[in-house]
Amino acid sequence: LTGDEKEMASKIYISGKRLLHTLNQILNYSEIESGSVELLITPVNVIELLNDELELYKIVAKQKGINLNQEYPSESVFINSDEKLLQS
């Protein structure tokens, strides 16, 4: 792929991830409303989670002339949480 094609493919991929994220949030909200939410507490790597979320917004921010930077430890930081709900 050429440079432009790679950038377009990246945008399509990121947009797909954002759409999936939005749909999952809608489903999570429906589960919470129905009272059928069951917590699945596991160790969650917060740094990895933050990096994934930041990637969703970097391309959109770049298009708007906004530069997103992160400043947090590069090593893993784990917490016990329900990852699905934490992402929401």
Side-chain angles (χ1 to χ4, degrees):
L1 297 175
T2 67
D4 288 341
E5 290 171 335
K6 286 180 184 178
E7 185 175 343
M8 184 62 73
S10 176
K11 288 179 183 179
I12 291 169
Y13 176 76
I14 296 293
S15 294
K17 282 185 76 170
R18 288 182 70 195
L19 178 59
L20 179 61
H21 180 73
T22 301
L23 291 173
N24 283 332
Q25 284 182 317
I26 292 169
L27 290 173
N28 288 343
Y29 180 73
S30 297
E31 289 175 356
I32 291 169
E33 286 292 307
S34 71
S36 64
V37 174
E38 290 187 32
L39 297 178
L40 177 60
I41 305 298
T42 60
V44 177
N45 184 343
V46 177
I47 302 301
E48 186 177 300
L49 183 72
L50 288 172
N51 283 332
D52 289 347
E53 293 301 312
L54 188 61
E55 286 302 315
L56 291 174
Y57 297 100
K58 274 187 177 179
I59 291 179
V60 175
K62 182 180 175 183
Q63 290 172 342
K64 295 182 178 189
I66 300 169
N67 186 26
L68 290 179
N69 295 310
Q70 71 270 8
E71 292 185 26
Y72 44 81
S74 58
E75 67 271 1
S76 297
V77 175
F78 287 90
I79 63 169
N80 290 323
S81 179
D82 184 302
E83 186 173 5
K84 183 176 159 184
L85 290 176
L86 185 59
Q87 286 175 333
S88 296

